[in-house]
Amino acid sequence: MARNVLESSLLGAGFSIIFQILCRILTFGINAYIVRHVGREVLGIMNVRLLLLESTLLFLSREAINRAALSANAQQGDRCSWAQLINQMWLTVPICAVLCAPCLYIWLNWLSAVDAIYASQYEFACYAVAFSCVLELMAESAVFVAQVFCFVKLKILLNTLHILVRSAIFLWIVTGDRSAAINAFAIAQLSSAVTIVLGQYGFFYFYLKGFKDFVTQQAKKKPVAPKAWQVSLYEHMDDFPFKQLNDFLPGVMFNPNGKHFNRELQTLTLSFVKQGVLKQILTEGEKYVMSVSPVLSFGEQATYDVVNNLGSMAARFIFRPIEDSSYFYFTQTLSRDIKLAKQPQERVRQASSVLNNLLLGVSSIGLIAFTFGQSYSYPVLLLYGGPDFVAGGLPQSLLQWHCLAIYLLAVNGISEGYMFATNTSRDIDKYNYLMAIFSISFLVLSYILTGIFGPVGFIFANCINMLSRILYSTYYIRHQYRPLSLDPLLGLWPGKLFGCTLFLAGIACYWYQSSDLATHLGVGVLAGLACLLSWVLAHRDLVRLAWRYGRRIKIE
């Protein structure tokens, strides 16, 4: 396979960050419209309760299967056929369908009830969200193939398209009838799922036709010189095993191994299933607590959700794409079942360098967010929601503490992602026990700290949980690289020059926070530029390396 996995991962992370920025801007605009014109309670029902249902179904149905299949394709290609991988990806559909029954029962009968005025819309929306999840997973085999063969731009294009379709349909219905906002949300979810399925299979329908023509043309004695777009799409695809669109369906593709499923892949998947359930609790734990126990009203939940989205903005559109791309890179570069000392040392050194640089980059971003968030939480919330929204001081306090969580999120995403990418099945099973402890502790701490500190207690519990996970994953990384005299964890400290500049910038911004808004923002801009300059000066080699990769990707 001649595709460059590192460059593909970098390109995927870059495009994903751009997509997430655009997506967040659009989402924040829609949320602001709902808060001002529809009501916070409706926003709480949609963004907390219904999106939690979608997140639960999709995560539990496909996360473990997708991660295991990526590892199997990279490390067991001779033992696990593509037919078995496609069959495995299609298991997500019946799994999701089975999960829909208990989840819908819980969402409609066990969780705190919505007001009677929204009850019928809420019931319809629950069924619509569940069906949209099943529908979306029908394209999972195509999504997996696109990821493995580095169709990065396709992923971003279709993600953007489905977000635009969902947003356009929602706004079109709501602007006509504000009282039908929850129904509009449900219809928009169904439409976006249809967009994903048609987009994925539509692309591969035309791609397979073009690929067949390209191969036929190049096989001639005097082939016609291919065009640039044909080279970018079809070159280095000798190992592409699909001949017709039906090959993406289960049981259709020729299977040289005979068996429909691979036993080792199933074992790895089961390990990830245990891990996935616990990770979902940790990721969405505060929403589960809010939904199960009436700690907050839907209006208060909406306020927390808005502030949480603002506070975790960096995690959503910067850290998550980087985490996904780095996980893909590490699974394709390092083997799970072989010690690093016995693997190709050039690959090991490259992986160590990449891990070091990733930790350096995300920890620097997290420190910047923490430093400037203390002084600029109030102006940001004031500009977003208006004076009524920031009244009482709770939104500001939530956002300030979220800035601490941002740093921990940044480090945990990369360190834990690397650990998951290189763990053996046995290591994953061992960690599952710790994840169970983390999950239970997080839920208990959330309940206790929320009773003491209010909604801020959710953030405190999250910070304690992430710090515990960081300590474990960094211990694993240090222990793994110690025999090789390599220490990628050095990237956690961004350097004295940047640290001192950041400290002084934080003091200056805090000193001027009582000044008028223009002066305060001006000081922040100058302090931010000083921090960026100090970081560039402290890490010139990394900047030059990123510039070279950026130019190569642009040229290609």
Side-chain angles (χ1 to χ4, degrees), residues 287-355:
K287 291 185 179 180
Y288 288 119
V289 172
M290 284 190 287
S291 297
V292 173
S293 175
V295 178
L296 304 173
S297 67
F298 279 112
E300 291 171 324
Q301 289 179 31
T303 301
Y304 176 83
D305 184 68
V306 168
V307 176
N308 182 52
N309 283 334
L310 282 170
S312 60
M313 197 160 51
R316 291 177 182 271
F317 66 69
I318 296 179
F319 300 143
R320 184 57 187 270
I322 294 175
E323 179 185 345
D324 289 344
S325 296
S326 63
Y327 178 84
F328 175 71
Y329 165 75
F330 289 128
T331 58
Q332 307 300 300
T333 304
L334 299 176
S335 297
R336 293 179 181 273
D337 301 319
I338 304 174
K339 291 184 178 181
L340 293 185
K342 297 181 180 179
Q343 297 188 41
Q345 289 306 294
E346 183 179 353
R347 283 191 170 193
V348 173
R349 284 192 294 271
Q350 185 190 61
S352 174
S353 176
V354 169
L355 179 58

Side-chain angles (χ1 to χ4, degrees), residues 232-246:
S232 63
L233 273 177
Y234 305 130
E235 197 173 38
H236 304 314
M237 298 294 285
D238 298 333
D239 56 341
F240 190 71
F242 302 93
K243 308 300 180 185
Q244 55 185 353
L245 195 61
N246 288 346

Side-chain angles (χ1 to χ4, degrees), residues 27-104:
T27 303
F28 284 139
I30 293 174
N31 287 348
Y33 177 84
I34 296 172
V35 168
R36 295 172 185 268
H37 298 94
V38 180
R40 295 187 189 181
E41 187 167 354
V42 173
L43 183 65
I45 293 171
M46 293 189 305
N47 281 15
V48 177
R49 184 67 64 80
L50 294 176
L51 286 183
L52 180 62
L53 175 60
E54 180 194 40
S55 170
T56 301
L57 288 173
L58 290 179
F59 190 94
L60 296 181
S61 300
R62 71 182 176 193
E63 180 74 7
I65 290 176
N66 183 269
R67 285 181 175 264
L70 280 174
S71 298
N73 175 68
Q75 300 163 19
Q76 301 175 7
D78 56 333
R79 290 177 287 172
C80 186
S81 68
W82 265 105
Q84 291 174 327
L85 289 172
I86 294 298
N87 293 339
Q88 185 82 0
M89 299 312 297
W90 271 95
L91 285 177
T92 58
V93 177
I95 288 173
C96 185
V98 170
L99 288 173
C100 282
C103 285
L104 283 172

Side-chain angles (χ1 to χ4, degrees), residues 212-274:
K212 183 178 180 181
D213 294 340
F214 178 81
V215 172
T216 303
Q217 187 61 239
Q218 296 304 303
K220 293 181 179 179
K221 293 182 179 180
K222 294 182 179 180
V224 179
K227 298 178 181 179
W229 65 269
Q230 290 177 315
V231 172
S232 63
L233 273 177
Y234 305 130
E235 197 173 38
H236 304 314
M237 298 294 285
D238 298 333
D239 56 341
F240 190 71
F242 302 93
K243 308 300 180 185
Q244 55 185 353
L245 195 61
N246 288 346
D247 288 342
F248 289 88
L249 299 177
V252 174
M253 193 176 185
F254 172 71
N255 185 5
N257 295 344
K259 297 180 179 180
H260 290 293
F261 299 100
N262 182 279
R263 184 179 296 274
E264 293 181 16
L265 179 58
Q266 299 286 51
T267 302
L268 186 58
T269 301
L270 289 175
S271 298
F272 278 120
V273 166
K274 304 169 190 175

